[in-house]
Amino acid sequence: MGSMGMGSQTATVSPLAKYKLVFLGDQSVGKTSIITRFMYDKFDNTYQATIGIDFLSKTMYLEDRTVRLQLWDTAGQERFRSLIPSYIRDSSVAVVVYDVSNRQSFLNTARWVEEVRTERGSDVIIMLVGNKTDLVDKRQVSIEEGDAKAKDFGVMFIETSSKAGFNIKALFRKIAAALPGMEALSSHKDKDDLVDVNLKPTQNSQAEGKAGGCAC
Amino acid sequence: MSVDWEDEGGFSCGGAVTASKKLKKGDGGLEKQEDAKPAPRIPKSLLFVPPSRRPKKTQRLRPEKWKAAFDLEGRPVGFHKLLKIIRKGGVDNSIRAEVWEFLLGCYELGTTLAYRELVRQARRERYNELLEECRMMHSSVGTGSLAYTVGSKLMDVRVASNDNARKRDAPIVETSPVGDFKEQSGGQSVMETRHQTQDESRSSDTAAVDRATSDTCEASLKEGPDSQKMRINSGSESENLNSIIRGERTEPVLLGKTKQEGISSSDDLRLQEPLPGEVDSFATAQLEQKPGAGLIKKETPVAVDEKLVEGVDSVQDKDDLEKAQSSVSSHPMKDISSNPVINEVEDSALRDMDVEGQKEEDVRDSGFIKSVDLDSVPGPRLSGQAERVTDWLWTLHRIVVDVVRTDKHLEFFNEGKNSARMSDILAVYAWVDPATGYCQGMSDLLSPFIVLFDIDADAFWCFESLLKRVRDNFQMEGPIRVMKQLEAMSKILEVTDADMLKHLVLVGADNFLFAFRMLLVLFRRELSFPEALYMWEMMWAADFHQATAWSFEYHSLEALRLPNFDSPAKIYPFEEESTCKPSSPEQLTPPTSPERLNTSGSPSFDPLRWRALTKRRSFCGLRPGRLWQMNRSRFNSTNVGLLGPDGDQDISVFCVAAILEQNRTMLLEKLQSMDDAIKIFNNMEMEFKVHSCVNTAVKLRKRYQNQSSKRVSLERRSIARHAQSL
C-alpha cells in the first residue's frame, strides 16, 4: 500500500484527492447495505455476508472540488477482526456502524472505535452510524443514546436507514465536509455547513432527513 | 409438494447404479435422458456450466467408470487412477455426491459397501440424536422452519429431517405469518411468559406469546394436524433437556456427558451393545443376497433409494411416505421469495447478550429458549452445560442471520426448507463443536452439500469432513489457517514467479489479502455455483493423499465418534495391521470378507485392545499409519516436512498462484496497489477457468516441491561439506 496517495497528503495538490473510508461494525448491521445504497441507490435483502474485505470507489463532486472515495467494506465477524488493522492503517475515515435494533452492536462500537484509535490515533475521522432506523418497532437504541455515545467518543454521529434510503447521502456529505483539505470549504465542522457541500445529484432523491442528532 | 429431485447422495455406491441409469440429465443439461425415469433431483439450471467454462465431457469421471472401480464387495479398487481423472476433469453430476464422500474421506477406501452402509446408518442415527438434542433447546430445529426470534414472516415448513417418529409428527403445514412482532424495546413482555416451563408454554401459553415471539415452529405446531402428539412429547423433552443441562446422560445422548467422562464410560457402554451381531448378520445377509458386481449388491439400499426419490427425506416405509406425501402436496410450499426475509432476520437483532451476568436472561428474552427453562434446573445456575446451551442459542441466531442470505441467488435456496436444512446442520455442528460454533463462511461451504445430498445426516458428515481440514479458519481461538497460507504465498511465488512477487512487493500487495476470500470459502464467491463444485472436487482429488494424511492431526469431535465404527476392529481383524504394508496405493485396501467380519465381531472381542485402536483411529475409520506410508511413497522423503497441517501445501494456495500466473500480463500492468488487487479479485476482473487453474496449480506445486527439496538437499550437502572441512 506504500504507493497509495494518502488522502491527507494529496488533497491539496491533486484535483482528484483520494480518501479511504473503512466501514466497521458488527455482523449484519448493514455496512454493505449502506455502501450499496450510496453507490447504486438500491437496497437488496440478500447481500451475502462479506468475507474478508470488499472494495468500491465512487467519485463525489463537491462544490469546488472532486474527491474520490474508496470504500472498504469489512467483515463484521469477530473471528476475522485480526485482519482489520491492515485495512484501517491508511484510512482517512472510519465509519463505525451499529444497528439501532440491536443493542449489542451498539455496545460493541466502543471496541471498534478503540480499534481505530489504536491503529490511527487521532489522525482519522470517525463517524458513528446508527443504521436501520426503519425498524421503528424494534428499536433498542434511541437517537439520544447514540448521540451521547458519539459525544463520549468525540466522534460524529448520524442515524440512517439504507433500506429506506434515509440519511445516506447526508452521511457521506458529512464525511466529505470533514475530510482533511476541506477546512477551507467549511470553516468549522458543523452540521450547518453541510448545506454548503453539494453532491452531484444521483437519479432519485432519497428520503433525506436532517442528520439526526449530529454531535459535532 | 414433492421434492423435485432424486436421491443419489443417500447411499454411497448403490447410488451409482441408479445414478448411471437415471441421472443422465441435470448434467449441464447437455446429455439426454436414457430412462424415462424421475425428474432430476437437482434442478438443471443449478448445475449448468457453460461449455466454454467446464471440463470436456470426456474428461469428466463418468458413472460407468466409477461403477467399474469397485470390486465384488463394493470396495473401491484403483481409486487412485480415478483421482487423476477427477483432478483433470471433475466428476459427472450424477455420481458427484458419492464420489465426494470418498474424496473427503467420509469413508475409507478399503471398506465394503455393506460396511459403509452400516456406518452410514449409524451416522444418521447419531445425527438424528444430535438434532433431537438441538430441537430440545430450540423447537424450530429440525422442523423446516427457521429460528426467528422476532419478525414473523417466516420461511415455510418442510418435512422434518431424518427421524422417523419426528417425521410422522412433522408439522407439514403452511405456516402463516403470525402477525407482526410487537415487542417492547426491552423485550419485557415476552420475557415473563417465557419463564414458564416448556410444557406450559406449549399448551397454555397465551396466544400473545405466540404472536409476540413469532416462533414459527410453535405456531405451526399449533396449527398442524399432529400438534397433539407434539404436545404430549414436550414434557419429556424438557426433562431430557434439563438433564442435558445438568450434565446427565440421557441415553442415547452422548453429549450430555462432560468430555472426560464421555470417553471412557460411554465407550464401555457401547461395547455392551449388541451391535456386532447385528453387523454380521446384516452384512452377510446382504452379501449373500446379492452376489455379483460390487455395485449391484447395493440393491437393498437402492430400493430405499428409489422410495426416497419420491420426495420425502428418509421416510422408511411406504405408509410414512404416502402420509407425508399427501400432506406435503396438500400444503403447498409457501412462496417466500417475496417476503423480506432477511430483513426480518436482521431485525431480530441480538440483544445485550454479552453483558456480564445478563447473558442467560437475555437469551430468554430474545425468544431463543422456548422449550428450556433454565430456572427449573436444579443445582448451580449457569453450570457449564447451561452456559453452553446459552451460547448455542446465541449462535443459532447468528446462523439464521447468515443462512437466509447464503446463495440466495440460487432458486434452490429460495425454498425455505432448504435454508432450514442449512440452519439445522450448522446448528448441530455448532453444538458438537463449541470451540468453533458458527463462523461466517461456513454457510458458504455447506450449501453445496445441501444441494447434493437429500439426507441431512449425509450432508452433515460430508460437511464435517471438509471442516476437519479447514477448522482452524473458523475456530474462535488460534491463528487463522488462511493467514498462514497467505504467508506462504511469498515463498511460493519466489519459486514460481519471482517477477510477480517483486511487483506485488513494490505495490504493497504482498500480504496477499486479496486472496483471503478465495481461500476461506474455497473460491465459492469467485465462481458460479456449479463451477465451484468442479473446482472443489478437482482440488480434493489433487489433495487427496495429503488431506487424508494430515487429517489425522485432527481428531474427530467427541460427539461424533461412533464407537462401533470408528474402530475398524469389528471390520478389520487386527492381524491385518501387520500385513498391510502396501507398496502401491492400490494394495492399500485390506481384505474384508464376511468371515472376517464374523470373527472380529465374536464374543472373544478384546475391549481393551479395541479401545486403544479407537483412540488411534478416530478419523472416520481411516488408518493413519498406512496413509503416512502411502504419502511417503508418493512424495519423496525430503518433501514430507512440507506436508504440514498449516495448509501451505494445499492445492488451493497453488490455485491462487495459478490465477496470478494466468493473469500475469494484466496484473503486472493494472495492479498498482493493494486496493487494485482487492478490486480486481473481488470483482473477478481476472481470467479464472477452473480446469486450467487446477491443472496449472498442480504443476506449480510440483515445481515448488521439487525446488524446495533440491534446496534442502543442497543445504544438507553444504553442511556435510562444511563438517568435512572441519
Side-chain angles (χ1 to χ4, degrees):
Chain A
M1 17 194 153
S3 72
M4 258 305 302
M6 264 293 300
S8 49
Q9 292 153 5
T10 51
T12 45
V13 279
S14 163
L16 191 66
K18 286 183 192 169
Y19 297 95
K20 184 167 161 181
L21 280 65
V22 57
F23 282 72
L24 306 166
D26 280 12
Q27 197 174 334
S28 76
V29 293
K31 299 178 289 294
T32 305
S33 292
I34 290 176
I35 290 175
T36 313
R37 172 61 84 180
F38 175 60
M39 292 287 297
Y40 312 111
D41 197 20
K42 64 170 192 179
F43 178 80
D44 190 338
N45 277 332
T46 58
Y47 298 121
Q48 303 214 50
T50 306
I51 302 282
I53 191 135
D54 237 321
F55 173 83
L56 290 158
S57 62
K58 181 162 176 152
T59 306
M60 258 177 98
Y61 301 94
L62 304 170
E63 204 167 56
D64 66 339
R65 70 184 66 204
T66 304
V67 293
R68 189 143 183 91
L69 299 183
Q70 301 179 322
L71 312 177
W72 293 75
D73 186 12
T74 65
Q77 174 82 40
E78 174 89 30
R79 173 66 171 142
F80 305 127
R81 203 162 276 190
S82 56
L83 274 84
I84 302 277
S86 47
Y87 304 128
I88 301 178
R89 208 153 291 151
D90 60 350
S91 56
S92 326
V93 182
V95 183
V96 177
V97 186
Y98 67 90
D99 171 357
V100 297
S101 69
N102 179 349
R103 177 158 285 277
Q104 188 59 47
S105 72
F106 175 66
L107 297 175
N108 284 348
T109 54
R111 293 171 65 184
W112 289 111
V113 169
E114 196 188 305
E115 191 108 43
V116 177
R117 291 260 156 84
T118 311
E119 198 60 45
R120 301 281 286 123
S122 53
D123 193 19
V124 62
I125 298 161
I126 299 177
M127 170 72 95
L128 185 66
V129 178
N131 192 30
K132 306 196 190 181
T133 56
D134 53 290
L135 301 177
V136 182
D137 291 346
K138 290 156 194 159
R139 189 188 266 273
Q140 292 182 357
V141 184
S142 69
I143 192 165
E144 292 76 21
E145 277 180 283
D147 195 12
K149 183 84 115 187
K151 283 203 176 95
D152 203 30
F153 293 148
V155 302
M156 298 192 289
F157 174 67
I158 193 168
E159 276 197 347
T160 61
S161 163
S162 41
K163 187 176 185 180
F166 167 74
N167 257 352
I168 300 292
K169 275 187 195 169
L171 161 68
F172 285 92
R173 264 199 303 245
K174 277 187 87 164
I175 291 171
L179 285 171
M182 292 291 147
E183 286 81 2
L185 200 68
S186 45
S187 48
H188 48 274
K189 294 174 214 144
D190 195 84
K191 68 178 166 190
D192 300 329
D193 291 329
L194 292 180
V195 291
D196 298 337
V197 185
N198 290 319
L199 272 178
K200 195 185 182 186
T202 46
Q203 46 285 60
N204 22 356
S205 56
Q206 303 168 339
E208 292 281 330
K210 57 268 142 198
C214 177
C216 312
Chain B
M1 192 193 122
S2 69
V3 181
D4 55 342
W5 48 341
E6 304 159 9
D7 179 271
E8 72 179 37
F11 299 93
S12 76
C13 300
V17 178
T18 35
S20 56
K21 269 194 285 168
K22 66 196 177 194
L23 290 174
K24 283 293 169 179
K25 39 198 214 145
D27 190 352
L30 284 191
E31 292 137 287
K32 40 180 186 305
Q33 193 185 352
E34 280 175 10
D35 277 311
K37 248 271 161 196
R41 66 180 285 280
I42 303 168
K44 262 187 205 174
S45 55
L46 193 54
L47 296 180
F48 182 79
V49 183
S52 62
R53 295 190 58 84
R54 69 177 164 206
K56 286 192 201 91
K57 206 167 120 186
T58 47
Q59 292 175 335
R60 259 173 281 161
L61 176 62
R62 314 285 305 159
E64 309 81 67
K65 195 131 201 172
W66 174 245
K67 204 166 67 174
F70 290 85
D71 71 6
L72 293 178
E73 286 160 7
R75 273 187 297 257
V77 283
F79 187 73
H80 300 82
K81 282 179 199 143
L82 298 186
L83 282 179
K84 198 169 174 188
I85 300 176
I86 299 169
R87 179 171 65 67
K88 291 197 161 158
V91 177
D92 194 86
N93 285 329
S94 60
I95 47 171
R96 187 166 264 152
E98 39 191 298
V99 176
W100 277 25
E101 289 185 320
F102 282 100
L103 284 177
L104 286 168
C106 291
Y107 295 101
E108 192 183 0
L109 291 179
T111 53
T112 63
L113 179 62
Y115 174 72
R116 288 195 300 272
E117 282 313 307
L118 290 173
V119 176
R120 185 185 299 283
Q121 286 310 324
R123 283 179 180 169
R124 286 181 182 174
E125 277 164 30
R126 172 55 53 85
Y127 177 79
N128 289 332
E129 286 166 16
L130 293 167
L131 191 75
E132 193 61 20
E133 275 179 50
C134 292
R135 207 187 52 78
M136 282 185 250
M137 295 181 287
H138 195 289
S139 54
S140 74
V141 175
T143 60
S145 55
L146 287 162
Y148 291 109
T149 349
V150 286
S152 54
K153 290 161 211 154
L154 64 44
M155 324 268 304
D156 35 7
V157 174
R158 73 181 154 116
V159 177
S161 53
N162 314 331
D163 166 37
N164 278 342
R166 190 114 296 282
K167 180 147 310 101
R168 264 178 226 117
D169 294 345
I172 308 166
V173 289
E174 186 184 339
T175 328
S176 47
V178 208
D180 276 329
F181 183 63
K182 298 280 193 283
E183 194 188 354
Q184 314 304 315
S185 61
Q188 296 302 323
S189 65
V190 191
M191 192 172 142
E192 274 100 330
T193 37
R194 246 187 244 119
H195 276 274
Q196 300 169 2
T197 62
Q198 179 200 29
D199 217 15
E200 284 166 343
S201 69
R202 275 260 163 78
S203 50
S204 62
D205 249 10
T206 56
V209 173
D210 276 341
R211 206 173 310 122
T213 60
S214 70
D215 184 297
T216 52
C217 171
E218 204 82 8
S220 62
L221 288 177
K222 295 224 160 140
E223 291 157 15
D226 294 316
S227 56
Q228 206 59 41
K229 280 181 202 165
M230 297 295 285
R231 238 171 268 158
I232 293 163
N233 285 342
S234 59
S236 61
E237 271 172 30
S238 65
E239 264 168 46
N240 281 345
L241 184 74
N242 286 345
S243 54
I244 288 181
I245 290 169
R246 284 195 298 269
E248 281 173 15
R249 183 189 182 88
T250 21
E251 197 55 44
V253 175
L254 237 168
L255 224 100
K257 308 215 54 116
T258 59
K259 213 177 171 188
Q260 300 85 334
E261 277 177 315
I263 301 168
S264 54
S265 55
S266 68
D267 283 359
D268 290 337
L269 233 149
R270 297 273 161 185
L271 282 175
Q272 288 149 25
E273 284 170 12
L275 237 147
E278 281 168 26
V279 167
D280 299 336
S281 55
F282 178 57
T284 348
Q286 263 205 338
L287 295 170
E288 279 166 4
Q289 266 173 15
K290 314 284 171 193
L295 289 164
I296 295 166
K297 232 181 292 147
K298 259 286 298 235
E299 266 170 46
T300 317
V302 168
V304 182
D305 208 349
E306 231 117 46
K307 275 192 239 162
L308 296 182
V309 164
E310 303 302 318
V312 185
D313 287 354
S314 61
V315 176
Q316 298 297 324
D317 64 69
K318 271 194 180 136
D319 286 351
D320 274 359
L321 179 71
E322 276 156 22
K323 241 189 270 170
Q325 266 187 318
S326 63
S327 43
V328 167
S329 52
S330 63
H331 295 94
M333 202 64 72
K334 187 174 159 67
D335 176 23
I336 52 108
S337 53
S338 57
N339 278 336
V341 173
I342 182 155
N343 202 38
E344 290 305 323
V345 175
E346 288 191 4
D347 299 352
S348 59
L350 311 173
R351 293 174 185 85
D352 327 17
M353 313 265 290
D354 273 327
V355 183
E356 269 306 310
Q358 271 208 326
K359 218 170 176 182
E360 183 198 336
E361 207 107 350
D362 286 326
V363 168
R364 211 182 290 116
D365 288 0
S366 47
F368 290 129
I369 306 190
K370 270 302 229 3
S371 44
V372 187
D373 181 11
L374 291 171
D375 290 337
S376 72
V377 180
R381 276 180 53 117
L382 272 184
S383 65
Q385 271 302 58
E387 211 168 334
R388 212 185 130 195
V389 171
T390 313
D391 283 345
W392 177 85
L393 288 164
W394 167 255
T395 304
L396 177 65
H397 179 80
R398 292 194 294 119
I399 289 173
V400 174
V401 167
D402 277 358
V403 155
V404 294
R405 52 183 181 152
T406 300
D407 285 330
K408 274 293 153 172
H409 60 287
L410 301 177
E411 215 172 301
F412 181 83
F413 285 108
N414 283 329
E415 228 175 282
K417 62 165 191 165
N418 290 325
S419 299
R421 292 179 62 200
M422 209 192 287
S423 167
D424 285 352
I425 291 176
L426 290 169
V428 169
Y429 188 83
W431 178 239
V432 297
D433 185 5
T436 303
Y438 168 77
C439 177
Q440 288 189 332
M442 281 165 71
S443 61
D444 288 79
L445 295 184
L446 172 61
S447 91
F449 297 104
I450 302 283
V451 172
L452 287 185
F453 291 89
D454 269 359
I455 310 274
D456 286 4
D458 298 344
F460 172 83
W461 238 276
C462 247
F463 172 63
E464 198 270 334
S465 296
L466 172 60
L467 270 196
K468 256 193 195 118
R469 306 176 178 197
V470 295
R471 188 170 290 150
D472 291 1
N473 284 334
F474 304 114
Q475 269 177 345
M476 287 166 195
E477 305 291 331
I480 300 170
R481 180 187 176 83
V482 168
M483 297 310 282
K484 293 188 209 162
Q485 293 177 322
L486 295 180
E487 278 165 31
M489 283 301 302
S490 296
K491 271 193 289 173
I492 292 167
L493 277 194
E494 212 175 288
V495 172
T496 61
D497 190 348
D499 288 344
M500 176 64 82
L501 179 63
K502 246 180 251 164
H503 181 74
L504 292 177
V505 172
L506 188 74
V507 302
D510 56 323
N511 53 17
F512 295 92
L513 282 174
F514 56 84
F516 182 87
R517 190 174 76 183
M518 290 193 215
L519 292 173
L520 190 83
V521 293
L522 299 174
F523 307 95
R524 275 293 329 268
R525 299 285 180 95
E526 287 74 24
L527 295 169
S528 72
F529 182 81
E531 281 182 297
L533 302 194
Y534 275 119
M535 182 89 186
W536 282 14
E537 61 210 10
M538 290 166 86
M539 291 197 301
W540 294 336
D543 268 351
F544 186 78
H545 303 291
Q546 277 165 295
T548 39
W550 45 248
S551 286
F552 295 116
E553 307 270 329
Y554 304 93
H555 288 280
S556 287
L557 297 164
E558 195 59 44
L560 296 182
R561 294 253 191 114
L562 302 172
N564 284 307
F565 293 100
D566 275 343
S567 161
K570 299 215 172 67
I571 301 298
Y572 304 114
F574 299 112
E575 310 80 62
E576 166 251 304
E577 182 95 324
S578 54
T579 56
C580 169
K581 293 255 151 62
S583 52
S584 83
E586 276 71 17
Q587 290 167 344
L588 281 174
T589 55
T592 312
S593 61
E595 296 82 58
R596 282 188 159 187
L597 273 172
N598 267 330
T599 40
S600 58
S602 68
S604 64
F605 175 67
D606 174 8
L608 279 176
R609 200 169 182 192
W610 173 82
R611 206 184 302 161
L613 275 166
T614 321
K615 280 191 179 131
R616 259 189 16 233
R617 301 171 168 177
S618 54
F619 181 69
C620 289
L622 280 166
R623 269 146 297 163
R626 287 198 283 134
L627 270 147
W628 277 118
Q629 214 138 43
M630 187 164 88
N631 273 284
R632 228 168 285 149
S633 65
R634 291 191 70 85
F635 304 93
N636 62 44
S637 56
T638 42
N639 280 341
V640 168
L642 297 170
L643 299 172
D646 284 359
D648 56 343
Q649 295 286 300
D650 280 14
I651 196 69
S652 54
V653 180
F654 289 88
C655 284
V656 173
I659 293 170
L660 289 174
E661 181 174 298
Q662 290 177 341
N663 294 277
R664 201 167 185 276
T665 323
M666 183 272 284
L667 291 175
L668 288 176
E669 185 192 330
K670 275 195 181 173
L671 199 159
Q672 296 303 326
S673 66
M674 184 175 86
D675 310 15
D676 290 344
I678 286 177
K679 209 168 113 193
I680 290 169
F681 278 75
N682 278 14
N683 302 342
M684 277 299 289
E685 289 167 18
M686 74 285 187
E687 170 97 336
F688 184 5
K689 279 190 181 170
V690 171
H691 48 298
S692 62
C693 174
V694 178
N695 286 330
T696 308
V698 169
K699 283 177 203 151
L700 291 177
R701 180 161 72 180
K702 220 173 263 171
R703 208 199 306 172
Y704 176 67
Q705 287 178 338
N706 286 342
Q707 289 274 343
S708 308
S709 58
K710 250 186 234 166
R711 200 175 305 160
V712 169
S713 59
L714 271 176
E715 275 167 24
R716 274 192 200 144
R717 225 176 295 161
S718 72
I719 289 170
R721 228 177 289 139
H722 184 66
Q724 265 181 357
S725 67
L726 285 175

